[in-house]
């Protein structure tokens, strides 16, 4: 599980979903009450329950 990661996600942050690598890189659009809207390069805009979907932060150099 993602744990409390969803509580720190803010618009503009980059994430990946390790369970869905084909979605590609995603940019957080909003985070309201743990429901995180993310625009993924290959899956488009998705609204995910941050407590139930594992997400990893991505930091680009």
């Amino acid at each position: 599980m993602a744990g409390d990661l969803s509580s720190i996600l803010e618009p503009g942050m980059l994430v990946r979903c390790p369970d869905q690598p084909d979605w590609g890189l995603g940019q957080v659009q909003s985070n309201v009450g743990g429901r995180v809207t993310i625009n993924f390069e290959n899956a488009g805009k998705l609204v995910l329950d941050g407590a139930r979907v594992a997400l990893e932060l991505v930091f680009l150099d």
Side-chain angles (χ1 to χ4, degrees), residues 12-23:
M13 288 182 161
L14 300 176
V15 296
R16 289 191 192 278
C17 182
D19 294 334
Q20 300 291 338
D22 57 314
W23 288 358

Side-chain angles (χ1 to χ4, degrees), residues 21-39:
D22 57 314
W23 288 358
L25 188 63
Q27 184 179 44
V28 176
Q29 304 294 299
S30 67
N31 182 0
V32 179
R35 293 180 57 82
V36 186
T37 302
I38 304 169
N39 190 17

